[in-house]
Amino acid sequence: MQKWMKRGLRRAVSALLACLCLAVFAGCTKNKPSPGSKVTHLDSLEQVQAFIEKIYEEVGESNMPMMVEHRELDLADADALEFNTGLTSAEGIRRVVVSESAVGSIAYSMLYVCVKDGADAAKIQAQILENINPAKWICVSAEQEASMTLGGDIFFVMGDAETVQEMTKAAKKVAEAEFSSIGAVQEKRVEF
């Protein structure tokens, strides 16, 4: 009889452990997006940098500005924020990543703006398009600007017309695989 009790106890413990493993597995996967699910925001600096790199891969090295580097802006530095985005306040913004040519004589800048939940991304996008300085470099000026909302975030690029078109097309293609929604491209030709 003890033999049957031990076997029954082992089966009960095994069944209990199996249920526990299933519960832990279900809990671990519950908060992770399933493969193929789309996002409304990029949360981390690493995600933003990876997204930018995918855009550059899509464009191809021969169509990219020389020596591109990305950096995250310090949102507490009002001068840097205004210089790089045209914004006078970081209200509603979680993060801004700037990707520019390290060569100062090339008019090129790409921004990825992570917007806080509940903030009006379209309003922030319009402020950037209206206020950014396309001649922020010493000897050169951008010819064109383009921007679109990606979920609740903002993509912006300025430079020569061909580069802006290539970057916007690549960003839209990469974003279609990742974001729940993509806003219409807003363009602005720079007038001198």
Side-chain angles (χ1 to χ4, degrees), residues 70-96:
H70 345 303
R71 68 187 185 290
E72 183 175 14
L73 291 182
D74 176 1
L75 297 181
D77 184 343
D79 291 334
L81 181 68
E82 186 170 8
F83 178 78
N84 287 284
T85 68
L87 299 173
T88 56
S89 168
E91 185 178 341
I93 297 173
R94 289 183 293 120
R95 169 177 288 115
V96 176

PDB file of all heavy atoms in Angstrom, residues 70-96:
ATOM      1  N   HIS A  70      24.355  59.142 -34.216  1.00  0.00           N
ATOM      2  CA  HIS A  70      23.141  59.495 -33.475  1.00  0.00           C
ATOM      3  C   HIS A  70      23.504  59.817 -32.027  1.00  0.00           C
ATOM      4  O   HIS A  70      24.433  59.255 -31.481  1.00  0.00           O
ATOM      5  CB  HIS A  70      22.083  58.402 -33.423  1.00  0.00           C
ATOM      6  CG  HIS A  70      22.211  57.278 -34.372  1.00  0.00           C
ATOM      7  ND1 HIS A  70      22.268  57.438 -35.714  1.00  0.00           N
ATOM      8  CD2 HIS A  70      22.259  55.939 -34.169  1.00  0.00           C
ATOM      9  CE1 HIS A  70      22.339  56.260 -36.291  1.00  0.00           C
ATOM     10  NE2 HIS A  70      22.347  55.347 -35.382  1.00  0.00           N
ATOM     11  N   ARG A  71      22.671  60.699 -31.466  1.00  0.00           N
ATOM     12  CA  ARG A  71      22.839  61.051 -30.053  1.00  0.00           C
ATOM     13  C   ARG A  71      21.475  61.412 -29.477  1.00  0.00           C
ATOM     14  O   ARG A  71      20.608  61.927 -30.179  1.00  0.00           O
ATOM     15  CB  ARG A  71      23.833  62.201 -29.880  1.00  0.00           C
ATOM     16  CG  ARG A  71      23.338  63.526 -30.412  1.00  0.00           C
ATOM     17  CD  ARG A  71      24.417  64.601 -30.371  1.00  0.00           C
ATOM     18  NE  ARG A  71      23.917  65.889 -30.776  1.00  0.00           N
ATOM     19  CZ  ARG A  71      23.564  66.244 -31.995  1.00  0.00           C
ATOM     20  NH1 ARG A  71      23.650  65.372 -32.971  1.00  0.00           N
ATOM     21  NH2 ARG A  71      23.123  67.449 -32.269  1.00  0.00           N
ATOM     22  N   GLU A  72      21.328  61.135 -28.201  1.00  0.00           N
ATOM     23  CA  GLU A  72      20.103  61.508 -27.503  1.00  0.00           C
ATOM     24  C   GLU A  72      20.284  62.898 -26.924  1.00  0.00           C
ATOM     25  O   GLU A  72      21.317  63.203 -26.320  1.00  0.00           O
ATOM     26  CB  GLU A  72      19.798  60.507 -26.390  1.00  0.00           C
ATOM     27  CG  GLU A  72      18.506  60.811 -25.672  1.00  0.00           C
ATOM     28  CD  GLU A  72      18.129  59.748 -24.653  1.00  0.00           C
ATOM     29  OE1 GLU A  72      18.971  58.911 -24.290  1.00  0.00           O
ATOM     30  OE2 GLU A  72      16.969  59.775 -24.205  1.00  0.00           O
ATOM     31  N   LEU A  73      19.287  63.742 -27.118  1.00  0.00           N
ATOM     32  CA  LEU A  73      19.346  65.093 -26.558  1.00  0.00           C
ATOM     33  C   LEU A  73      19.038  65.071 -25.071  1.00  0.00           C
ATOM     34  O   LEU A  73      18.197  64.282 -24.615  1.00  0.00           O
ATOM     35  CB  LEU A  73      18.332  66.010 -27.240  1.00  0.00           C
ATOM     36  CG  LEU A  73      18.569  66.387 -28.687  1.00  0.00           C
ATOM     37  CD1 LEU A  73      17.482  67.345 -29.162  1.00  0.00           C
ATOM     38  CD2 LEU A  73      19.937  67.017 -28.881  1.00  0.00           C
ATOM     39  N   ASP A  74      19.686  65.950 -24.336  1.00  0.00           N
ATOM     40  CA  ASP A  74      19.348  66.194 -22.942  1.00  0.00           C
ATOM     41  C   ASP A  74      18.158  67.153 -22.955  1.00  0.00           C
ATOM     42  O   ASP A  74      18.308  68.325 -23.308  1.00  0.00           O
ATOM     43  CB  ASP A  74      20.545  66.813 -22.222  1.00  0.00           C
ATOM     44  CG  ASP A  74      20.251  67.200 -20.783  1.00  0.00           C
ATOM     45  OD1 ASP A  74      19.113  66.968 -20.307  1.00  0.00           O
ATOM     46  OD2 ASP A  74      21.159  67.744 -20.131  1.00  0.00           O
ATOM     47  N   LEU A  75      16.984  66.672 -22.594  1.00  0.00           N
ATOM     48  CA  LEU A  75      15.776  67.490 -22.671  1.00  0.00           C
ATOM     49  C   LEU A  75      15.803  68.666 -21.699  1.00  0.00           C
ATOM     50  O   LEU A  75      15.037  69.614 -21.864  1.00  0.00           O
ATOM     51  CB  LEU A  75      14.535  66.633 -22.441  1.00  0.00           C
ATOM     52  CG  LEU A  75      14.283  65.538 -23.479  1.00  0.00           C
ATOM     53  CD1 LEU A  75      13.010  64.770 -23.156  1.00  0.00           C
ATOM     54  CD2 LEU A  75      14.243  66.092 -24.889  1.00  0.00           C
ATOM     55  N   ALA A  76      16.679  68.626 -20.712  1.00  0.00           N
ATOM     56  CA  ALA A  76      16.811  69.751 -19.776  1.00  0.00           C
ATOM     57  C   ALA A  76      17.628  70.893 -20.380  1.00  0.00           C
ATOM     58  O   ALA A  76      17.609  72.004 -19.869  1.00  0.00           O
ATOM     59  CB  ALA A  76      17.456  69.277 -18.477  1.00  0.00           C
ATOM     60  N   ASP A  77      18.333  70.620 -21.472  1.00  0.00           N
ATOM     61  CA  ASP A  77      19.146  71.638 -22.142  1.00  0.00           C
ATOM     62  C   ASP A  77      18.264  72.332 -23.187  1.00  0.00           C
ATOM     63  O   ASP A  77      18.146  71.890 -24.333  1.00  0.00           O
ATOM     64  CB  ASP A  77      20.364  70.980 -22.797  1.00  0.00           C
ATOM     65  CG  ASP A  77      21.320  71.985 -23.437  1.00  0.00           C
ATOM     66  OD1 ASP A  77      20.916  73.143 -23.674  1.00  0.00           O
ATOM     67  OD2 ASP A  77      22.467  71.593 -23.710  1.00  0.00           O
ATOM     68  N   ALA A  78      17.647  73.437 -22.784  1.00  0.00           N
ATOM     69  CA  ALA A  78      16.690  74.151 -23.646  1.00  0.00           C
ATOM     70  C   ALA A  78      17.338  74.645 -24.936  1.00  0.00           C
ATOM     71  O   ALA A  78      16.704  74.631 -25.997  1.00  0.00           O
ATOM     72  CB  ALA A  78      16.064  75.316 -22.885  1.00  0.00           C
ATOM     73  N   ASP A  79      18.599  75.081 -24.868  1.00  0.00           N
ATOM     74  CA  ASP A  79      19.281  75.573 -26.068  1.00  0.00           C
ATOM     75  C   ASP A  79      19.487  74.455 -27.092  1.00  0.00           C
ATOM     76  O   ASP A  79      19.250  74.638 -28.286  1.00  0.00           O
ATOM     77  CB  ASP A  79      20.627  76.206 -25.707  1.00  0.00           C
ATOM     78  CG  ASP A  79      20.474  77.509 -24.931  1.00  0.00           C
ATOM     79  OD1 ASP A  79      19.426  78.176 -25.084  1.00  0.00           O
ATOM     80  OD2 ASP A  79      21.398  77.854 -24.168  1.00  0.00           O
ATOM     81  N   ALA A  80      19.936  73.292 -26.626  1.00  0.00           N
ATOM     82  CA  ALA A  80      20.151  72.152 -27.528  1.00  0.00           C
ATOM     83  C   ALA A  80      18.822  71.678 -28.114  1.00  0.00           C
ATOM     84  O   ALA A  80      18.747  71.329 -29.296  1.00  0.00           O
ATOM     85  CB  ALA A  80      20.844  71.012 -26.793  1.00  0.00           C
ATOM     86  N   LEU A  81      17.776  71.672 -27.288  1.00  0.00           N
ATOM     87  CA  LEU A  81      16.461  71.257 -27.770  1.00  0.00           C
ATOM     88  C   LEU A  81      15.991  72.186 -28.887  1.00  0.00           C
ATOM     89  O   LEU A  81      15.568  71.736 -29.949  1.00  0.00           O
ATOM     90  CB  LEU A  81      15.450  71.245 -26.621  1.00  0.00           C
ATOM     91  CG  LEU A  81      14.032  70.794 -26.990  1.00  0.00           C
ATOM     92  CD1 LEU A  81      14.014  69.319 -27.362  1.00  0.00           C
ATOM     93  CD2 LEU A  81      13.074  71.069 -25.842  1.00  0.00           C
ATOM     94  N   GLU A  82      16.092  73.486 -28.660  1.00  0.00           N
ATOM     95  CA  GLU A  82      15.637  74.442 -29.670  1.00  0.00           C
ATOM     96  C   GLU A  82      16.513  74.390 -30.921  1.00  0.00           C
ATOM     97  O   GLU A  82      16.009  74.435 -32.047  1.00  0.00           O
ATOM     98  CB  GLU A  82      15.613  75.855 -29.101  1.00  0.00           C
ATOM     99  CG  GLU A  82      15.000  76.856 -30.068  1.00  0.00           C
ATOM    100  CD  GLU A  82      14.741  78.219 -29.452  1.00  0.00           C
ATOM    101  OE1 GLU A  82      15.167  78.458 -28.298  1.00  0.00           O
ATOM    102  OE2 GLU A  82      14.118  79.049 -30.132  1.00  0.00           O
ATOM    103  N   PHE A  83      17.823  74.295 -30.760  1.00  0.00           N
ATOM    104  CA  PHE A  83      18.737  74.242 -31.900  1.00  0.00           C
ATOM    105  C   PHE A  83      18.450  73.040 -32.793  1.00  0.00           C
ATOM    106  O   PHE A  83      18.475  73.146 -34.020  1.00  0.00           O
ATOM    107  CB  PHE A  83      20.192  74.203 -31.412  1.00  0.00           C
ATOM    108  CG  PHE A  83      21.203  74.109 -32.528  1.00  0.00           C
ATOM    109  CD1 PHE A  83      21.535  75.225 -33.273  1.00  0.00           C
ATOM    110  CD2 PHE A  83      21.803  72.898 -32.832  1.00  0.00           C
ATOM    111  CE1 PHE A  83      22.469  75.142 -34.309  1.00  0.00           C
ATOM    112  CE2 PHE A  83      22.732  72.806 -33.864  1.00  0.00           C
ATOM    113  CZ  PHE A  83      23.061  73.926 -34.605  1.00  0.00           C
ATOM    114  N   ASN A  84      18.178  71.888 -32.176  1.00  0.00           N
ATOM    115  CA  ASN A  84      18.008  70.649 -32.937  1.00  0.00           C
ATOM    116  C   ASN A  84      16.585  70.376 -33.404  1.00  0.00           C
ATOM    117  O   ASN A  84      16.388  69.643 -34.377  1.00  0.00           O
ATOM    118  CB  ASN A  84      18.508  69.458 -32.112  1.00  0.00           C
ATOM    119  CG  ASN A  84      19.997  69.431 -32.033  1.00  0.00           C
ATOM    120  OD1 ASN A  84      20.676  69.069 -32.985  1.00  0.00           O
ATOM    121  ND2 ASN A  84      20.547  69.848 -30.896  1.00  0.00           N
ATOM    122  N   THR A  85      15.592  70.949 -32.711  1.00  0.00           N
ATOM    123  CA  THR A  85      14.197  70.623 -33.043  1.00  0.00           C
ATOM    124  C   THR A  85      13.330  71.838 -33.352  1.00  0.00           C
ATOM    125  O   THR A  85      12.252  71.681 -33.910  1.00  0.00           O
ATOM    126  CB  THR A  85      13.519  69.864 -31.877  1.00  0.00           C
ATOM    127  OG1 THR A  85      13.380  70.754 -30.759  1.00  0.00           O
ATOM    128  CG2 THR A  85      14.296  68.626 -31.475  1.00  0.00           C
ATOM    129  N   GLY A  86      13.758  73.016 -32.931  1.00  0.00           N
ATOM    130  CA  GLY A  86      12.914  74.202 -33.060  1.00  0.00           C
ATOM    131  C   GLY A  86      11.908  74.333 -31.931  1.00  0.00           C
ATOM    132  O   GLY A  86      11.171  75.305 -31.857  1.00  0.00           O
ATOM    133  N   LEU A  87      11.882  73.370 -31.013  1.00  0.00           N
ATOM    134  CA  LEU A  87      10.939  73.398 -29.897  1.00  0.00           C
ATOM    135  C   LEU A  87      11.508  74.210 -28.739  1.00  0.00           C
ATOM    136  O   LEU A  87      12.697  74.109 -28.433  1.00  0.00           O
ATOM    137  CB  LEU A  87      10.632  71.978 -29.415  1.00  0.00           C
ATOM    138  CG  LEU A  87       9.993  71.036 -30.441  1.00  0.00           C
ATOM    139  CD1 LEU A  87       9.915  69.621 -29.886  1.00  0.00           C
ATOM    140  CD2 LEU A  87       8.613  71.537 -30.847  1.00  0.00           C
ATOM    141  N   THR A  88      10.660  74.962 -28.092  1.00  0.00           N
ATOM    142  CA  THR A  88      11.105  75.753 -26.940  1.00  0.00           C
ATOM    143  C   THR A  88      10.742  75.078 -25.620  1.00  0.00           C
ATOM    144  O   THR A  88      11.080  75.586 -24.558  1.00  0.00           O
ATOM    145  CB  THR A  88      10.477  77.161 -26.975  1.00  0.00           C
ATOM    146  OG1 THR A  88       9.054  77.031 -27.038  1.00  0.00           O
ATOM    147  CG2 THR A  88      10.983  77.950 -28.172  1.00  0.00           C
ATOM    148  N   SER A  89      10.067  73.954 -25.699  1.00  0.00           N
ATOM    149  CA  SER A  89       9.690  73.217 -24.491  1.00  0.00           C
ATOM    150  C   SER A  89       9.722  71.721 -24.781  1.00  0.00           C
ATOM    151  O   SER A  89       9.390  71.279 -25.879  1.00  0.00           O
ATOM    152  CB  SER A  89       8.270  73.618 -24.065  1.00  0.00           C
ATOM    153  OG  SER A  89       7.775  72.733 -23.087  1.00  0.00           O
ATOM    154  N   ALA A  90      10.107  70.945 -23.778  1.00  0.00           N
ATOM    155  CA  ALA A  90      10.108  69.488 -23.902  1.00  0.00           C
ATOM    156  C   ALA A  90       8.810  68.880 -23.363  1.00  0.00           C
ATOM    157  O   ALA A  90       8.719  67.673 -23.183  1.00  0.00           O
ATOM    158  CB  ALA A  90      11.301  68.908 -23.148  1.00  0.00           C
ATOM    159  N   GLU A  91       7.810  69.719 -23.145  1.00  0.00           N
ATOM    160  CA  GLU A  91       6.530  69.234 -22.620  1.00  0.00           C
ATOM    161  C   GLU A  91       5.929  68.204 -23.588  1.00  0.00           C
ATOM    162  O   GLU A  91       5.841  68.444 -24.794  1.00  0.00           O
ATOM    163  CB  GLU A  91       5.561  70.396 -22.445  1.00  0.00           C
ATOM    164  CG  GLU A  91       4.257  69.985 -21.789  1.00  0.00           C
ATOM    165  CD  GLU A  91       3.323  71.168 -21.577  1.00  0.00           C
ATOM    166  OE1 GLU A  91       3.778  72.326 -21.587  1.00  0.00           O
ATOM    167  OE2 GLU A  91       2.129  70.913 -21.408  1.00  0.00           O
ATOM    168  N   GLY A  92       5.554  67.065 -23.039  1.00  0.00           N
ATOM    169  CA  GLY A  92       4.941  66.003 -23.836  1.00  0.00           C
ATOM    170  C   GLY A  92       5.945  65.085 -24.514  1.00  0.00           C
ATOM    171  O   GLY A  92       5.566  64.160 -25.224  1.00  0.00           O
ATOM    172  N   ILE A  93       7.232  65.320 -24.289  1.00  0.00           N
ATOM    173  CA  ILE A  93       8.274  64.534 -24.963  1.00  0.00           C
ATOM    174  C   ILE A  93       9.033  63.684 -23.948  1.00  0.00           C
ATOM    175  O   ILE A  93       9.420  64.163 -22.896  1.00  0.00           O
ATOM    176  CB  ILE A  93       9.249  65.471 -25.708  1.00  0.00           C
ATOM    177  CG1 ILE A  93       8.495  66.223 -26.803  1.00  0.00           C
ATOM    178  CG2 ILE A  93      10.413  64.686 -26.294  1.00  0.00           C
ATOM    179  CD1 ILE A  93       9.318  67.282 -27.474  1.00  0.00           C
ATOM    180  N   ARG A  94       9.238  62.407 -24.294  1.00  0.00           N
ATOM    181  CA  ARG A  94      10.025  61.512 -23.444  1.00  0.00           C
ATOM    182  C   ARG A  94      11.490  61.472 -23.863  1.00  0.00           C
ATOM    183  O   ARG A  94      12.381  61.323 -23.048  1.00  0.00           O
ATOM    184  CB  ARG A  94       9.476  60.076 -23.523  1.00  0.00           C
ATOM    185  CG  ARG A  94       8.160  59.873 -22.845  1.00  0.00           C
ATOM    186  CD  ARG A  94       7.691  58.423 -22.880  1.00  0.00           C
ATOM    187  NE  ARG A  94       7.377  58.003 -24.243  1.00  0.00           N
ATOM    188  CZ  ARG A  94       7.977  57.001 -24.875  1.00  0.00           C
ATOM    189  NH1 ARG A  94       8.923  56.312 -24.292  1.00  0.00           N
ATOM    190  NH2 ARG A  94       7.637  56.679 -26.108  1.00  0.00           N
ATOM    191  N   ARG A  95      11.739  61.573 -25.181  1.00  0.00           N
ATOM    192  CA  ARG A  95      13.111  61.407 -25.679  1.00  0.00           C
ATOM    193  C   ARG A  95      13.191  61.994 -27.085  1.00  0.00           C
ATOM    194  O   ARG A  95      12.237  61.904 -27.855  1.00  0.00           O
ATOM    195  CB  ARG A  95      13.434  59.910 -25.713  1.00  0.00           C
ATOM    196  CG  ARG A  95      14.680  59.508 -26.408  1.00  0.00           C
ATOM    197  CD  ARG A  95      14.963  58.000 -26.327  1.00  0.00           C
ATOM    198  NE  ARG A  95      15.360  57.668 -24.972  1.00  0.00           N
ATOM    199  CZ  ARG A  95      14.664  56.877 -24.143  1.00  0.00           C
ATOM    200  NH1 ARG A  95      13.551  56.332 -24.541  1.00  0.00           N
ATOM    201  NH2 ARG A  95      15.094  56.632 -22.929  1.00  0.00           N
ATOM    202  N   VAL A  96      14.354  62.552 -27.415  1.00  0.00           N
ATOM    203  CA  VAL A  96      14.642  62.978 -28.785  1.00  0.00           C
ATOM    204  C   VAL A  96      16.005  62.401 -29.158  1.00  0.00           C
ATOM    205  O   VAL A  96      16.988  62.612 -28.448  1.00  0.00           O
ATOM    206  CB  VAL A  96      14.684  64.519 -28.938  1.00  0.00           C
ATOM    207  CG1 VAL A  96      15.094  64.898 -30.364  1.00  0.00           C
ATOM    208  CG2 VAL A  96      13.349  65.147 -28.583  1.00  0.00           C
TER     209      VAL A  96
END
